[in-house]
Structure formats: structure tokens, C-alpha cells
Amino acid sequence: MSVIARVFEEAGLPTVVIALIKEHAEKVKPSRALFVPFPYGYPMGKPNDADFQHRVIGAALNLLRRSQGPVLEDFPDEAGPTEFYQASAVTSTEDAIKKDAANEVTGLRAFYERWIEDGNGRTAVGLSGIPQRRFRGMIRFLQDFSMGEETDMKERPQDVPLPQYVRYCVDDLKAFFFESRMAQRPQDSEPELQTWFWGDTAAGQLVAAIAKHMVDTGDEAMARVANGIAR
Amino acid sequence: MPRLDQLSEIQRQSTLYFPCLENDTAPWAPWTKELSNTKVALVSSAGLHLRNDRPFKGGDLTYRVIPSDANTSDVIDSHTSIGWDRTGIYRDLNLAFPMDRLRELVERNVIGSLAPDYYSFMGAQRDPRKIMEETSPQAAEAMHAQDVDLVLLVPV
């Protein structure tokens, strides 16, 4: 981001950039940068906290008062979760291995619909083009794919290769599960949500199995996609 | 953060050894306006785009245009990195793309107006040369054409 900020400045556009990694901002030297001590994914600090987000933006805009640069200032307050669990950090429960992800989808549907209603239509689901009502079919497709069987979905655009399309489906599945769970248990912390998905759900096991299958094929392009699915 | 001492060992190593460009000086476009009279554009590296726009692919060095009057429900992400926690932006897109916050700043007369278009790239690129040489200069040109006075850049 700091690299792009420099290009804009060189083109005569004043910039203010939020920096998540101070060590990088010190090297790249964007013109005006506010270092924020938040985790990846949390550049404004706290979700659903407009006042806090305004404080971050305000601190960034204040850097415009400086007459020379580069400027790199620290935002004073910490925010955001301190843990982020990916698949390999979570132990699967026996229960999760026995369950069927398609039945989980059916069980979560009412919570997902509540999530959409409460969020005025906002959902991160939408990359695959498969409507949520057909997610049971998407699960079957992903299960077949993870077992190396020949399979496809009619929604896949012709110019999107199958492994890439699998990733879009996985992204939709993750969003569906997390959003449903957040509607069901709004107080759950981020590490609790991640532990649930990777440890307690059959969908989490399926996603990990897809990534493993992709790596096991030995195909380099497939392995790169796998790296964006689970690790 | 991520403060390096709070990252997992794998993430700490990949952050420390990320091939990051080193510069001795910074370019400087002087700031001469009043904020309350300023047209602001927002630029993200979170791999965001409109729901019906084409998703990002691995190594994608292009950008997507997001109209500033879009709703947060119109915007989704397809960033190929899973090295960041999505649950935050599932809860609130403004966490990484503060569209509503900028609208509020216009209503409060803190800033003058919003550029018609915002932009999203996909960050965490190992070889950003095309972004530096082609796609971000194109975005700069597009912003000049819309008389943008100030760019706020937000990573993820």
C-alpha cells in the first residue's frame, strides 16, 4: 500500500496511508503514514465502532499538517483480536469428522438468513455465483473434488479454471459458516469462531481436505490455490 | 500490529523477509488546501470489488473501481491471501474500507466531498513492479481526471 502511495505522490496527488507493518513503512518511506498497532485484517481497529474508526481516520488526516516528510507516526491505542487461528493451529474433534457438511448447511440456514436481515443485506458470500439455497449441491461438488473425482458446477464461468472456482466456492462456504455462527452467537470472539470452524465443523474438515488434495496432486498451480484455501 | 512479536512464527518470518523495497527519500506532493474543501478518494489493497465485478486471481496486479456511493452490502473481497482474519470485515466492511465513515465526514463538513470512484488493489504481492509502473499510475490518472485532492490508502 505504501508503494502505491508513493506512485500517487509522484503523480502529484497528496496521500495519507495507514501502515500495519511499521518495519515495512520505515523501509518503503511513503510520504505520510500512520502506523496502527492492529492485526492484519483490522486497519481501522474495531468493527462496528464508528467512533474508534473516526479516531484512526482523524489521526491520519492530522498528518497533513506536516510541511515535510516522510512522516511516520504511531496511533496510540491497540485494538483487534490478538490471536488468529488457521486450520493447522486447531485440533479437529471426532464429532466434526463424523458429521456431514451438507447437513450443517441446512442447520445454519436460518441463522444465515437472520445475518442478512440484521445487516441490511450485507454478506461476504457471492464469489461463486451459487445461491445459498444450492449450497448442499456445492458441498457435494467440493466433496467429490476433494476425493479426486471428476466434477464441475454449471455456475463456473468458462474463463475460470476449476481449481480457482473451487477456491471461490470455499470462500463462499467460509463466509456462510462464519456469518451464520456470528448471527447465532454474536458474542463469540474471533479465535472462538475460528476454533469452531476448523475444529468442530465437517465443513472445516472438508476445506482442509480440499487443500490437501490440491497439494497432493503435485501440480504447482494447484498448490498455489491450495495456499489460499487452508494451511 | 501486527506487532512482529505477536505474530505466529510463520507469519513473523514471512513478514520480516517479505521482499520490501527500500527507499532513502519520499516523494512529496505538498498539501495546500483546506480539508473542508477537499475531494477525497479511498484506495484499498484488500482485494475488494463490487459483487458483480470480476474477482481477483492469484498474482492479479490490476485494480477494481468501486463507486463511492455504493453500499457496503455491494462490496465483497476475493483477496487470495488467507494470512488475515476475515471475521472483522464480515462484521463490518468499514473496518478495512471506511466508506460510511467518509460519508459521515462529508456530512460533518470535515472533508468537502467524495471522489466519484474508489479503487481496490490486491496487496501482499511479491512482485509489485506492474502495480508500480502500470496499474497505480493509471489509477492516479483516473483520480486526476476526477479532480481528486487527497487519497486515503488503507491496507488489510
Side-chain angles (χ1 to χ4, degrees), chain A residues 32-112:
Chain A
R32 300 170 201 82
L34 178 72
F35 163 67
V36 292
F38 313 144
Y40 288 131
Y42 291 74
M44 292 287 128
K46 298 182 185 178
N48 297 317
D49 188 336
D51 290 343
F52 192 91
Q53 294 173 5
H54 273 301
R55 281 188 49 220
V56 176
I57 297 172
L61 295 178
N62 265 339
L63 304 181
L64 290 164
R65 294 179 183 168
R66 306 280 285 269
S67 56
Q68 53 186 348
V71 178
L72 175 59
E73 269 191 19
D74 291 5
F75 187 76
D77 299 332
E78 311 248 347
T82 52
E83 302 287 345
F84 171 41
Y85 297 140
Q86 302 205 62
S88 54
V90 178
T91 309
S92 309
T93 60
E94 293 228 355
D95 204 26
I97 297 159
K98 283 185 222 144
K99 281 188 289 196
D100 182 357
N103 293 337
E104 290 175 335
V105 164
T106 307
L108 289 171
R109 183 165 287 152
F111 294 110
Y112 178 72

Side-chain angles (χ1 to χ4, degrees), chain B residues 11 25 41 45 62 80 105 128 131 143 147:
Chain B
Q11 279 208 312
T25 59
S45 57
T62 61
T80 53
L105 290 181
I131 287 188
M143 286 190 278
D147 299 318

Side-chain angles (χ1 to χ4, degrees), chain B residues 33-44:
Chain B
K33 299 198 77 161
E34 289 293 316
L35 253 188
S36 57
N37 197 23
T38 288
K39 188 189 277 188
V40 180
L42 180 61
V43 177
S44 163

Side-chain angles (χ1 to χ4, degrees), chain B residues 65-142:
Chain B
V65 174
I66 300 169
S68 61
D69 62 0
N71 289 316
T72 55
S73 58
D74 300 330
V75 180
I76 55 177
D77 98 273
S78 55
H79 200 303
T80 53
S81 167
I82 52 170
W84 55 284
D85 178 1
R86 298 296 202 276
T87 48
I89 67 159
Y90 289 161
R91 293 188 205 268
D92 178 13
L93 183 76
N94 289 288
L95 181 63
F97 201 57
M99 311 177 79
D100 293 332
R101 298 298 84 81
L102 292 189
R103 281 191 267 264
E104 288 155 8
L105 290 181
V106 173
E107 282 162 24
R108 298 175 191 176
N109 297 316
V110 174
I111 58 175
S113 60
L114 304 176
D117 291 333
Y118 293 162
Y119 305 84
S120 180
F121 293 81
M122 183 174 74
Q125 302 273 358
R126 300 222 145 235
D127 184 5
R129 268 173 302 183
K130 189 179 167 191
I131 287 188
M132 290 171 65
E133 289 162 14
E134 290 178 37
T135 52
S136 50
Q138 280 163 17
E141 216 169 291

Side-chain angles (χ1 to χ4, degrees), chain A residues 125 127-130 135 138-139 141-142 153 155-156 162-176 207 210:
Chain A
V125 174
L127 288 175
S128 69
I130 300 171
F135 272 18
M138 184 170 86
I139 294 279
F141 159 67
L142 293 175
M153 290 295 279
E155 285 86 354
R156 178 172 70 87
L162 185 67
Q164 184 65 38
Y165 190 70
V166 166
R167 196 192 79 104
Y168 294 154
C169 291
V170 167
D171 281 2
D172 277 354
L173 193 66
K174 286 175 182 167
F176 174 90
V207 171
I210 292 166

Side-chain angles (χ1 to χ4, degrees), chain A residues 9 20 31 37-38 41 53 123, chain B residues 1 27 29 51 101 104 144 156:
Chain A
E9 288 274 340
L20 282 163
S31 310
F38 313 144
Q53 294 173 5
T123 174
Chain B
M1 167 113 121
R51 196 168 284 283
R101 298 298 84 81
E104 288 155 8
H144 273 308
V156 79

